[in-house]
Each structure stands twice: as C-alpha cells, then as structure tokens.
Amino acid sequence: MFSPRRRQLLQFAAATPLAAAFASVPRPARAAFPKPELPLKVGYVYVSPIGDAGWTYQHDLGRKAVEASFGDKVMIKVIESVSEGADAERVIREFASSGYGLVFATSFGYMNPLLRVAKQFPKGIFEHATGYRQAPNVGIYAARYYEARYLTGILAGRMSKSGVAGYVAAFPIPEVVMGINAFMLGMKSVNPQAQVKVIWVNAWFDPGKEREAAATLVAQGADVLTQHTDSTAVVQTAEDKGAYAIGYHSDMSKYGPKAHLSAATHHWEGYYRRVVQQVLDGSWAPDNVWGGIKDGMVGLAPLHPAVPAEVGALVATKKQDIIDGRLLPFQGPLFDQAGRQVIGAGAKLTDDELLKMNYYVEGVVGQMPK
Amino acid sequence: MFTLEARTLPSVRAMWLAPLAALLLTLLGGSVLFAAFGHAPLQALSVYFLQPLASVYGIGEWLLKATPLAVCGLGLALGFRAKVWNIGADGQFTLGAICAGGLAIACDGFIDAESLWIAPAMALAGIAGGMMWAALPAWLRTRYGSSEILSSLMLAYVAPLLLGWLVNGPWRDPAGFNFPQSIQFADAALLAPLHEGARVTLAFPVALVLAGLLCFVQRYTYAGFRLQVSGEAPLAARHAGYSQRAAVWIAMLTGGACAGFAGYAEVAGPLGQLQPSVSPGYGFTAIIVAFVGRLDPRGVVLAALLLSLLALGGEAAQMTLDLPAAISGVFQGGLLCALLACDTFVHYRLRRVYRKPAAHTS
Amino acid sequence: MSLSGWLPILAGVLAAATPLLIAALGELIAEKSGVLNLGVEGMMLVGALTAFAVASGGAGYAAGALAGALAGVGLAALFAWLTLNCLASQVACGLAITMLGSGLSAYAGRDYVSRTLDGMALIPLGGGFGFDPLIVTGLLLTVLVWYFLQRSRAGLVLRAVGESPATAHALGLPVRCIRWAAVLFGGACAGLAGAYLAIDYTPMWVEGLSAGRGWIALALVVFAGWRPGRTLLGAWLYGGVGILQFHAQALGIAVPAQFLGMLPYLATIVVLTLIARDPLTQRRHTPASLGQPWHPHA
C-alpha cells in the first residue's frame, strides 16, 4: 500500500528436474477428480489491478472468454491486487474453502502458498501460472513468449534504420532475459550488425521511469523500442519521439497509432477454456504446459500498415517455421555476449537450459545486474 | 461559532463514545457507498465485518494479520508517548526479517527436527536486527540532534532495497531457477500454527503478553513514568534530571525490537522464506494503529484487530459482492480519518464562542 | 559528447525533476509553517487522476492542471481540518490521507485507464526549441517560494509561526489560518505535481501512477534543508542520477541498481546530520515546531 514498488509475476514451467521430482508423485487415476456439480465455481487471483493492458489484463481476457463460452455452467470470481506475501495463501484458501472447484493463480509468487493450500484441499483443482512446482491437484502453465519475441526481433531488424533497438526491462529473471535474447537473435537473423541496448528499471510498474528509460534509449540511437514492464509508457514514448515500438503482453496499438509495429502478445483464452472443459468433463489431470505460438498461447498483434508487405511475408514465413518446428529461436551455434560459444551448430538449448538463462547473447549491449 | 477547549482530564465518556461515533459515521458513509453500487447496505456491511470471522480459519487469519500490526504498533506507541517519532518501523520490520531469515538460511545445513534452539535464536536475531536499524536514528538524534522522524523514514526505504539485493544475489535459492527468493526454511525454523489448519502462530499470544507487559511498565514502573514525563513535559523532565537521551534510546530501541520481532514472526510464520518484499506496509499501518489505539497498549491491540478486519473484509467484499479492491482503500481511509477526528473529544470539548457576548445573552 | 548529445539528457533531467520539485516546494511551505504532511503521495495521485480526467474530457491542459491542483487542495483541506482543528496527530493523518488518496484515485479512475491523451505541447521559442509550460512553472515557483520566504513580510510571518506558534499567537498572528493556508498551498503543489505526471510527463492515468514520488519529495525537503534553491538543486540531482544511470546502462556500464536506489535516502540522512551538527544552521532553517500540534487554548 505504501510501497513504491509493485512486484509482479514471473515466469516458468516445463519439464524441469524439480518439476519432474514433484510430478513423479504417481499420477492419479483419471477418476480422481469426478465431474463437479454445476455451476462450477472458478476463482482467479490477480497480482495487480486489471487495467487496460498488460499481464493481468490478458489473463482477464481469458477469464471473460471462459464466461462467454460456458455461460451458466460456471460461476467466476476475481480477486485483484493480491500481494505475493502472507495474503496470497488466505485468498487462495478462501476460494478453496468456499467451494471453488478450480482456482487459477496467475503470478509466480503464489507458488508456495498455493501448494500449501492445495495440500489441505486435495479435492480442489489448482492451476498456477509460471511456477515450477506441481502436485497431484496442481497443474502449472506458462507460454513460450520468446517465440513471439524472436519474430518481433525480425520485424525490428527490418524496420530499424540505425540497427539499434532499445529494450526496457524490469528485473533480471530468466523469463525476461530469455525475451531479450530471443529478440536479439531475431533481429540478428536479418541484420548481423544489429544491437539491442537494455535498460533495467528495477520495477514492474513505474510509468515515469519506463518513460525516462525509453527516452534515454532513443537519445542513444535506438529507433525501435520494446519493453518487458507492465505499462504502456514505452509505446507512448516511442510515439512521441517518432520511433517505432513493439508492445508486449497486449496489443498496444491504441497507445501508439504511428509507432506500434506489432506486439508479442499473450493469449490465455484457449488454455483456460480447455482446462475448464476438462474439469467439467471430469478428465482433468495435473499437467505442465509450456505452450507456444503453435498452441495459440503466444501471438503477434496485427502488423502496422507501414510495415512493407515483403517484411510482413518474411515474419509470416518465420512464424510458420516456428509453428512447424523447423525454426527454433535458440538454435546453435549460439554465442554469449563475450563471444563464447554456448552451443555448437546443430545443437539446441533444452527447456531446462532456457528456464535458467542468465546470460546475454552476442549483440546485446549492457551488463546484466547481478 | 465553536471552538475547542482543552479538558483538564481526558473525558472517560468521550473515550468510549468517540470510537463509536467514528464507527457510526463510517458505517453511514459506507452504507451510502455500498448503496451507490447497488448493494443492500446492511448485507454489504455484514459481508465486510462479519463474514471474515465466520469460521475458525477466518478468525485465525484475522489474528494472523493483526499480529504484525499489533506488535509494531505496541513498540511505536511507547515511543510516541515519549514524543519520540519513530516512523521507520517498516524498515526495522524488514531488517528483523533479514536477520532472522539469514540465520535460518545459514543454519539450514545442520538443523533438524531436534534443533529446538533455532526458533529462539531466530527471534533474537530478528529483534537485534530491528534494534540495529532503530539505533541509527537514535544515535543521530542523541549525538547530532537530527530529527528521528526523517532519518527513520529514510532508513525504511533503504531496508527493502537491501533485502532485494540479498534475495537477488547471495541468498538466492540455488535450486530456484534464478528467481529472486531464498530457500524455504527448515521445519524447525518455522513457528508452528496455534490451531490445526489455521496459520496464526505463537506470535499472537506473544503480542498479548507484550501488551500486558507494556501496560505494566507504563503504569507501575519508574522507567515508564520517566518516559511519559519526558514526552509530556520535557522541561519538567529535565528539571527532575531525567535524561532525554535515555528516553530517545529506550523509545527507539523498544520500537525497533518490536518491529524486528514482528518481521521474524512474519518470515518464520506465513512466509517461510525470504522474498523481495516481506512487508506490505505493516510498519506504516502500525503508526495509524498506534494513534487509533490512543497510544495505550490495550487500545493498540484493538486497533490492530480492527485494521486487520478491514483488510479481510475488503477481500470478502471482492469475492462476495464483486466490489473492486480500490473501494476498500476508500473505506479504510475514511474510517481512519473519522476515528482520528472523533478522538479529539477525548482531550478537548466543544465550546460555543460568542463573538459579541453582550448582544447575544439569552 | 557534443552539445546535441547533452541536450536531450539535460531536458530529461529537467523533466524528471519537475514533479519532485513542485511537490517538494509545496511541502516545504507546509513544513515551514510547522506542519508535517505525509499525505503528499495521496494528494499527488488524486491530483493526477483529476487532471487527467479533466484534460482527457476535452477541457484542455490548463484546466486539467488547475483541476489537479484543486483536487490536491481538497484532500489537503481534510488533512488541515483533522490536524489543525481536530488536533489529530500529523503523522497518522498524513498516512491516512495517503491511504484515502490512493484508494479514491484507484476507484474513481477505473474508467480512465483506457483513455489516451497526447502530451502537452511545448511553447515554441523558435529554432526548433521550445519549453514545457509546467516545467517552467516549477522553476518560477522556486523563485516565488524563495522570494516569499526570504524577502516578503508574509514569509516572515509564516516562518515565525513555524518557529514558535505560541509566540506568534501572542503577537496576534492568526496561527491556525496561516497554517491552513500553508497546508492548502502544499496540497495545490502536490496536486499540480500529480497533474504534471498524468497530463504531461507520462501522459496517462493508471493506479499508483506516482510510484513513490511523493515520498521522495518529502525526503527532498529535508535534503534541501528547507531551502527553495537547494530544493531545486536536490530535485535536479535526484532526477539526474536516475537519468544518468539509464544512460550509463545503455552504454554498457554495469550499475548496481539496489545500491544506487539507496543513495537518495542515505544522502538525505547525511545532509540531515550535517545540518543538525551546526546549531546555527539548524536554528536558521529547520522549523522548530515541525510536527507538533498547537492550539490556542491548549
């Protein structure tokens, strides 16, 4: 309340050793979660206010899609601005004990509280976004945002005249670093000389600082900006300064009618509908989902009309390549910032290596805070 | 035209009536607010104030949330009585969490279920941490005369940055995929819940004992008397040879120790690990708690329970009535302003002032 | 670096310093009268929302800025009534006001988060240069506050009230009225600072827009030793450190972010200590009755 900071979500998932260790609890038989009584009560726990764009807004779009698809069969409640401390456990438990059969907790910091509640309510079903620990009644889900980041990198590489892009980032956790690196690699794939300058603002949300960082990047020669923070300030700054912008989380074209080339967007609608359907059918089992563009969990916002058709076609081709598995953003040979080879030609980074990523790839300017 | 006139003695009647009047005002204001949202006011108010306490778990949560507010508020109230304005309890709370948590992390390798010493050791570390963070403003005040209001406030902003650095760097969980949080503490390092299934820990009864102790100190001990005199009549205190420096040190260190203990109880209780932020502003809310509780230990405990209930009520209102989270902020802020305003009548009475007494004799 | 390289940096520092400067000048006046108002953050938020609502409603930027300042005055009036008339604790009321302001703005602002607004236009000076009216307002305000405190009779009265309300009262000065005026001025400044953030700097409205700037403004007043000129320097320094560390980062220089973040607060403590060490400076600049309630019949 008085804190100038606001912590938010982080990201994670996939077949990691730790997750595997927890998942190795023998999977329950399908009948472990019988068909629920109707309406199924579904609770959503958000880390910030819903707002008009950003991480929580995208989750709320997913929530609305569930409401629209299932109508009377579900009854949904939302609690927003739940801090990632002692309050989270109470809110999640409150849902579980008031007969909510399914709870979505949409921020990394809810991981341990959620697991404690899940243990006390073995009949409840819990879904945790971006964590790495599972349980017999806890599924985890996240998306391969880096796939869309790679594509927006291509877009930036082709649209930038200076070959320098600016990246405003919040905290150096692997999800953010992965995004920066994927963006860099995408940019490099069309312009070997490209650079990405990174500024860490040390806040998920501080529109003033985000703006200052964006303006700094423009002053230092960046003509395409993107961000991994939670406001639209960077897109608005690009609009003001006559630079291009690439949004994140949501389609932010409204905030930069001239600047907004596209955005790497999150889409939870399909996933939430699928999980709710499974729960209604009595077929839900804990899973570990790390979906990409192919699964419809990550996407690109419509391209700006100023993007030449030929560039649009290139992005579309690469997107199809990613969907078909022909293109992996983190494909060898891969070099880190200092020029050391991370993996050789033909090799690829495993999911596990991706999820722990804490180095920049070649071309990124700046030093990662330790 | 009315004016306030100081009472020679605090009015006992006003003492009871003031909070009731404030509550009534807020309930009225709240009813209007809820009615504006299309909710039956009575039902909304019952959701706000009664629903959170409808279960044993709910009561446990109520006490759990009140614990850090009460413990911090008790320490602050003692200082405020001596007119020592420690408003950096949030930083002292965080330092307590850092020191207690650091000990748990350092000892993680060699404690097991038998290590009964770890819990008291952590509590002491937390208290020491809080005292250390409070000692700095106390030293600056007694040595250089710089205002403790401002230096303690500044330190309250430094502490979370220190914690942020620790959990991002040296104390980051090696198996935690580079997320900024520490390992989860071993079971022996955690405070056990008071009741199966609830989360409220031993820290709540400790808060009650602390309140009793402070009541005793304030009423029956010479030290308590001296503190009060140096607050209410600094000249008399100086005349009597009571040391102003000692008062500052005692007040600051008590405040720091309490906040540090609360920080310990939070990380060893509901959190179970260190994370980039351990306090959602407990130390600041505790200042309001101390004043709403009229700087009396019993009042502080009641005020902490009230504020904790308001926070829980806000969540219940979101879940049951679809009221936005922001409405709770308005409601809480309003109640606090009403309480602070109504308390005026404990020490002052309204008196009618006649501009021209001669012309208005009745 | 050439002049053209430094210009954007200077402009950035000026802009980043403005909300801190305006809010701090207001708080400085309030504190000089002996009232410590910790509600700056709340008043900024309410001012920001009101300004944004008015400006995005089509009433224009000037009306927006004015409305923001008035909203700050409104909340400050509640604070003044509680602390000056009801004699409640200034510290507790300030915190309660921040709570109320954050809640009110978050609640009333829910329909405004999706609106967009172009930033305020610069007033052209010719040659491609121009100036931002609110940034200039901040600079003018510094001069005005300096003149008021150091050169005007009214300023002397205000300082006297902050030094010793009892003496001022004995001299027949309307202590409470003067403190009311000082607090309301502080509220207007905080509201204007919020307005600058919402309609000029970012420009947008979101919950928690000020992100702690109100608290920094409070620190700044002390850092400046209650002197307007130093407040300006301090605001530039605070703004400048932020902007320069971003430039350093983009040039590839490692910046220890957490320690840099501590710097303003630690620096304030150091300055506070330095002022306090010299009794003469302290007596000359620190309002002696700061934070203490006062009542003629008490």
PDB file of all heavy atoms in Angstrom, chain B residues 33-55:
ATOM      1  N   LEU B  33     -21.978   4.478   0.229  1.00  0.00           N
ATOM      2  CA  LEU B  33     -21.062   3.980  -0.797  1.00  0.00           C
ATOM      3  C   LEU B  33     -21.579   2.674  -1.400  1.00  0.00           C
ATOM      4  O   LEU B  33     -21.661   2.504  -2.624  1.00  0.00           O
ATOM      5  CB  LEU B  33     -19.703   3.746  -0.129  1.00  0.00           C
ATOM      6  CG  LEU B  33     -18.484   3.686  -1.013  1.00  0.00           C
ATOM      7  CD1 LEU B  33     -18.203   5.063  -1.567  1.00  0.00           C
ATOM      8  CD2 LEU B  33     -17.290   3.223  -0.193  1.00  0.00           C
ATOM      9  N   PHE B  34     -21.958   1.726  -0.510  1.00  0.00           N
ATOM     10  CA  PHE B  34     -22.419   0.428  -0.999  1.00  0.00           C
ATOM     11  C   PHE B  34     -23.739   0.575  -1.744  1.00  0.00           C
ATOM     12  O   PHE B  34     -23.959  -0.071  -2.770  1.00  0.00           O
ATOM     13  CB  PHE B  34     -22.566  -0.556   0.158  1.00  0.00           C
ATOM     14  CG  PHE B  34     -21.266  -0.887   0.822  1.00  0.00           C
ATOM     15  CD1 PHE B  34     -21.148  -0.923   2.197  1.00  0.00           C
ATOM     16  CD2 PHE B  34     -20.150  -1.172   0.062  1.00  0.00           C
ATOM     17  CE1 PHE B  34     -19.939  -1.221   2.806  1.00  0.00           C
ATOM     18  CE2 PHE B  34     -18.928  -1.485   0.656  1.00  0.00           C
ATOM     19  CZ  PHE B  34     -18.826  -1.501   2.035  1.00  0.00           C
ATOM     20  N   ALA B  35     -24.615   1.429  -1.227  1.00  0.00           N
ATOM     21  CA  ALA B  35     -25.895   1.638  -1.892  1.00  0.00           C
ATOM     22  C   ALA B  35     -25.659   2.184  -3.299  1.00  0.00           C
ATOM     23  O   ALA B  35     -26.346   1.806  -4.245  1.00  0.00           O
ATOM     24  CB  ALA B  35     -26.771   2.583  -1.081  1.00  0.00           C
ATOM     25  N   ALA B  36     -24.645   3.051  -3.421  1.00  0.00           N
ATOM     26  CA  ALA B  36     -24.332   3.604  -4.736  1.00  0.00           C
ATOM     27  C   ALA B  36     -23.912   2.499  -5.704  1.00  0.00           C
ATOM     28  O   ALA B  36     -24.038   2.638  -6.910  1.00  0.00           O
ATOM     29  CB  ALA B  36     -23.221   4.647  -4.610  1.00  0.00           C
ATOM     30  N   PHE B  37     -23.417   1.402  -5.160  1.00  0.00           N
ATOM     31  CA  PHE B  37     -23.014   0.276  -6.002  1.00  0.00           C
ATOM     32  C   PHE B  37     -24.157  -0.711  -6.204  1.00  0.00           C
ATOM     33  O   PHE B  37     -23.962  -1.782  -6.755  1.00  0.00           O
ATOM     34  CB  PHE B  37     -21.843  -0.468  -5.366  1.00  0.00           C
ATOM     35  CG  PHE B  37     -20.534   0.086  -5.775  1.00  0.00           C
ATOM     36  CD1 PHE B  37     -19.986   1.134  -5.092  1.00  0.00           C
ATOM     37  CD2 PHE B  37     -19.863  -0.435  -6.856  1.00  0.00           C
ATOM     38  CE1 PHE B  37     -18.787   1.661  -5.470  1.00  0.00           C
ATOM     39  CE2 PHE B  37     -18.662   0.076  -7.241  1.00  0.00           C
ATOM     40  CZ  PHE B  37     -18.120   1.133  -6.545  1.00  0.00           C
ATOM     41  N   GLY B  38     -25.309  -0.387  -5.654  1.00  0.00           N
ATOM     42  CA  GLY B  38     -26.457  -1.264  -5.842  1.00  0.00           C
ATOM     43  C   GLY B  38     -26.465  -2.446  -4.895  1.00  0.00           C
ATOM     44  O   GLY B  38     -27.012  -3.499  -5.220  1.00  0.00           O
ATOM     45  N   HIS B  39     -25.824  -2.327  -3.733  1.00  0.00           N
ATOM     46  CA  HIS B  39     -25.890  -3.407  -2.757  1.00  0.00           C
ATOM     47  C   HIS B  39     -26.692  -2.949  -1.560  1.00  0.00           C
ATOM     48  O   HIS B  39     -26.610  -1.794  -1.157  1.00  0.00           O
ATOM     49  CB  HIS B  39     -24.493  -3.794  -2.285  1.00  0.00           C
ATOM     50  CG  HIS B  39     -23.671  -4.427  -3.347  1.00  0.00           C
ATOM     51  ND1 HIS B  39     -23.885  -5.687  -3.814  1.00  0.00           N
ATOM     52  CD2 HIS B  39     -22.633  -3.928  -4.069  1.00  0.00           C
ATOM     53  CE1 HIS B  39     -23.019  -5.951  -4.771  1.00  0.00           C
ATOM     54  NE2 HIS B  39     -22.250  -4.911  -4.949  1.00  0.00           N
ATOM     55  N   ALA B  40     -27.447  -3.880  -0.993  1.00  0.00           N
ATOM     56  CA  ALA B  40     -28.147  -3.542   0.235  1.00  0.00           C
ATOM     57  C   ALA B  40     -27.099  -3.231   1.298  1.00  0.00           C
ATOM     58  O   ALA B  40     -26.242  -4.067   1.570  1.00  0.00           O
ATOM     59  CB  ALA B  40     -29.020  -4.705   0.676  1.00  0.00           C
ATOM     60  N   PRO B  41     -27.126  -2.047   1.891  1.00  0.00           N
ATOM     61  CA  PRO B  41     -26.066  -1.640   2.808  1.00  0.00           C
ATOM     62  C   PRO B  41     -25.846  -2.623   3.954  1.00  0.00           C
ATOM     63  O   PRO B  41     -24.707  -2.961   4.261  1.00  0.00           O
ATOM     64  CB  PRO B  41     -26.544  -0.292   3.337  1.00  0.00           C
ATOM     65  CG  PRO B  41     -27.473   0.226   2.311  1.00  0.00           C
ATOM     66  CD  PRO B  41     -28.104  -0.966   1.672  1.00  0.00           C
ATOM     67  N   LEU B  42     -26.941  -3.109   4.552  1.00  0.00           N
ATOM     68  CA  LEU B  42     -26.770  -3.995   5.705  1.00  0.00           C
ATOM     69  C   LEU B  42     -26.062  -5.271   5.311  1.00  0.00           C
ATOM     70  O   LEU B  42     -25.143  -5.738   5.991  1.00  0.00           O
ATOM     71  CB  LEU B  42     -28.135  -4.317   6.321  1.00  0.00           C
ATOM     72  CG  LEU B  42     -28.618  -3.290   7.335  1.00  0.00           C
ATOM     73  CD1 LEU B  42     -29.942  -3.727   7.926  1.00  0.00           C
ATOM     74  CD2 LEU B  42     -27.574  -3.121   8.448  1.00  0.00           C
ATOM     75  N   GLN B  43     -26.471  -5.815   4.178  1.00  0.00           N
ATOM     76  CA  GLN B  43     -25.852  -7.055   3.730  1.00  0.00           C
ATOM     77  C   GLN B  43     -24.372  -6.810   3.425  1.00  0.00           C
ATOM     78  O   GLN B  43     -23.503  -7.597   3.807  1.00  0.00           O
ATOM     79  CB  GLN B  43     -26.582  -7.547   2.474  1.00  0.00           C
ATOM     80  CG  GLN B  43     -26.092  -8.896   2.004  1.00  0.00           C
ATOM     81  CD  GLN B  43     -26.024  -8.970   0.480  1.00  0.00           C
ATOM     82  OE1 GLN B  43     -26.519  -8.093  -0.214  1.00  0.00           O
ATOM     83  NE2 GLN B  43     -25.400 -10.013  -0.011  1.00  0.00           N
ATOM     84  N   ALA B  44     -24.093  -5.684   2.776  1.00  0.00           N
ATOM     85  CA  ALA B  44     -22.702  -5.374   2.426  1.00  0.00           C
ATOM     86  C   ALA B  44     -21.857  -5.225   3.686  1.00  0.00           C
ATOM     87  O   ALA B  44     -20.744  -5.744   3.770  1.00  0.00           O
ATOM     88  CB  ALA B  44     -22.649  -4.089   1.598  1.00  0.00           C
ATOM     89  N   LEU B  45     -22.410  -4.535   4.671  1.00  0.00           N
ATOM     90  CA  LEU B  45     -21.643  -4.336   5.893  1.00  0.00           C
ATOM     91  C   LEU B  45     -21.412  -5.656   6.620  1.00  0.00           C
ATOM     92  O   LEU B  45     -20.356  -5.887   7.201  1.00  0.00           O
ATOM     93  CB  LEU B  45     -22.358  -3.344   6.811  1.00  0.00           C
ATOM     94  CG  LEU B  45     -22.316  -1.897   6.311  1.00  0.00           C
ATOM     95  CD1 LEU B  45     -23.202  -1.010   7.161  1.00  0.00           C
ATOM     96  CD2 LEU B  45     -20.883  -1.370   6.310  1.00  0.00           C
ATOM     97  N   SER B  46     -22.384  -6.547   6.553  1.00  0.00           N
ATOM     98  CA  SER B  46     -22.178  -7.825   7.226  1.00  0.00           C
ATOM     99  C   SER B  46     -21.117  -8.642   6.488  1.00  0.00           C
ATOM    100  O   SER B  46     -20.337  -9.361   7.098  1.00  0.00           O
ATOM    101  CB  SER B  46     -23.497  -8.588   7.366  1.00  0.00           C
ATOM    102  OG  SER B  46     -23.726  -9.381   6.234  1.00  0.00           O
ATOM    103  N   VAL B  47     -21.088  -8.503   5.153  1.00  0.00           N
ATOM    104  CA  VAL B  47     -20.024  -9.179   4.406  1.00  0.00           C
ATOM    105  C   VAL B  47     -18.675  -8.619   4.852  1.00  0.00           C
ATOM    106  O   VAL B  47     -17.707  -9.338   5.060  1.00  0.00           O
ATOM    107  CB  VAL B  47     -20.193  -8.964   2.887  1.00  0.00           C
ATOM    108  CG1 VAL B  47     -18.917  -9.328   2.151  1.00  0.00           C
ATOM    109  CG2 VAL B  47     -21.350  -9.783   2.371  1.00  0.00           C
ATOM    110  N   TYR B  48     -18.649  -7.311   5.019  1.00  0.00           N
ATOM    111  CA  TYR B  48     -17.398  -6.646   5.344  1.00  0.00           C
ATOM    112  C   TYR B  48     -16.906  -7.001   6.739  1.00  0.00           C
ATOM    113  O   TYR B  48     -15.743  -7.297   6.950  1.00  0.00           O
ATOM    114  CB  TYR B  48     -17.595  -5.127   5.234  1.00  0.00           C
ATOM    115  CG  TYR B  48     -16.436  -4.445   4.587  1.00  0.00           C
ATOM    116  CD1 TYR B  48     -16.456  -4.116   3.241  1.00  0.00           C
ATOM    117  CD2 TYR B  48     -15.298  -4.156   5.320  1.00  0.00           C
ATOM    118  CE1 TYR B  48     -15.373  -3.500   2.642  1.00  0.00           C
ATOM    119  CE2 TYR B  48     -14.228  -3.540   4.736  1.00  0.00           C
ATOM    120  CZ  TYR B  48     -14.262  -3.207   3.395  1.00  0.00           C
ATOM    121  OH  TYR B  48     -13.200  -2.612   2.808  1.00  0.00           O
ATOM    122  N   PHE B  49     -17.814  -6.983   7.710  1.00  0.00           N
ATOM    123  CA  PHE B  49     -17.361  -7.102   9.094  1.00  0.00           C
ATOM    124  C   PHE B  49     -17.613  -8.468   9.719  1.00  0.00           C
ATOM    125  O   PHE B  49     -16.961  -8.831  10.688  1.00  0.00           O
ATOM    126  CB  PHE B  49     -18.028  -6.026   9.963  1.00  0.00           C
ATOM    127  CG  PHE B  49     -17.509  -4.657   9.680  1.00  0.00           C
ATOM    128  CD1 PHE B  49     -18.242  -3.761   8.912  1.00  0.00           C
ATOM    129  CD2 PHE B  49     -16.267  -4.260  10.147  1.00  0.00           C
ATOM    130  CE1 PHE B  49     -17.750  -2.495   8.638  1.00  0.00           C
ATOM    131  CE2 PHE B  49     -15.771  -3.003   9.879  1.00  0.00           C
ATOM    132  CZ  PHE B  49     -16.515  -2.119   9.123  1.00  0.00           C
ATOM    133  N   LEU B  50     -18.579  -9.220   9.205  1.00  0.00           N
ATOM    134  CA  LEU B  50     -18.899 -10.483   9.871  1.00  0.00           C
ATOM    135  C   LEU B  50     -18.408 -11.697   9.100  1.00  0.00           C
ATOM    136  O   LEU B  50     -17.883 -12.643   9.677  1.00  0.00           O
ATOM    137  CB  LEU B  50     -20.420 -10.588  10.096  1.00  0.00           C
ATOM    138  CG  LEU B  50     -21.000  -9.468  10.959  1.00  0.00           C
ATOM    139  CD1 LEU B  50     -22.497  -9.624  11.122  1.00  0.00           C
ATOM    140  CD2 LEU B  50     -20.323  -9.464  12.331  1.00  0.00           C
ATOM    141  N   GLN B  51     -18.565 -11.659   7.795  1.00  0.00           N
ATOM    142  CA  GLN B  51     -18.216 -12.845   7.010  1.00  0.00           C
ATOM    143  C   GLN B  51     -16.791 -13.336   7.241  1.00  0.00           C
ATOM    144  O   GLN B  51     -16.565 -14.532   7.343  1.00  0.00           O
ATOM    145  CB  GLN B  51     -18.456 -12.574   5.528  1.00  0.00           C
ATOM    146  CG  GLN B  51     -18.258 -13.803   4.663  1.00  0.00           C
ATOM    147  CD  GLN B  51     -18.595 -13.524   3.217  1.00  0.00           C
ATOM    148  OE1 GLN B  51     -19.645 -12.966   2.904  1.00  0.00           O
ATOM    149  NE2 GLN B  51     -17.695 -13.887   2.329  1.00  0.00           N
ATOM    150  N   PRO B  52     -15.788 -12.410   7.342  1.00  0.00           N
ATOM    151  CA  PRO B  52     -14.422 -12.914   7.532  1.00  0.00           C
ATOM    152  C   PRO B  52     -14.261 -13.718   8.817  1.00  0.00           C
ATOM    153  O   PRO B  52     -13.344 -14.524   8.926  1.00  0.00           O
ATOM    154  CB  PRO B  52     -13.576 -11.639   7.596  1.00  0.00           C
ATOM    155  CG  PRO B  52     -14.392 -10.593   6.944  1.00  0.00           C
ATOM    156  CD  PRO B  52     -15.823 -10.956   7.187  1.00  0.00           C
ATOM    157  N   LEU B  53     -15.139 -13.512   9.781  1.00  0.00           N
ATOM    158  CA  LEU B  53     -14.962 -14.170  11.077  1.00  0.00           C
ATOM    159  C   LEU B  53     -15.897 -15.359  11.249  1.00  0.00           C
ATOM    160  O   LEU B  53     -16.101 -15.846  12.358  1.00  0.00           O
ATOM    161  CB  LEU B  53     -15.209 -13.160  12.208  1.00  0.00           C
ATOM    162  CG  LEU B  53     -14.412 -11.869  12.071  1.00  0.00           C
ATOM    163  CD1 LEU B  53     -14.694 -10.947  13.242  1.00  0.00           C
ATOM    164  CD2 LEU B  53     -12.923 -12.172  11.998  1.00  0.00           C
ATOM    165  N   ALA B  54     -16.463 -15.820  10.138  1.00  0.00           N
ATOM    166  CA  ALA B  54     -17.478 -16.860  10.243  1.00  0.00           C
ATOM    167  C   ALA B  54     -16.895 -18.247  10.483  1.00  0.00           C
ATOM    168  O   ALA B  54     -17.632 -19.182  10.753  1.00  0.00           O
ATOM    169  CB  ALA B  54     -18.355 -16.860   8.992  1.00  0.00           C
ATOM    170  N   SER B  55     -15.579 -18.411  10.372  1.00  0.00           N
ATOM    171  CA  SER B  55     -15.006 -19.746  10.577  1.00  0.00           C
ATOM    172  C   SER B  55     -13.799 -19.652  11.497  1.00  0.00           C
ATOM    173  O   SER B  55     -13.262 -18.563  11.717  1.00  0.00           O
ATOM    174  CB  SER B  55     -14.566 -20.335   9.234  1.00  0.00           C
ATOM    175  OG  SER B  55     -13.511 -19.561   8.713  1.00  0.00           O
TER     176      SER B  55
END
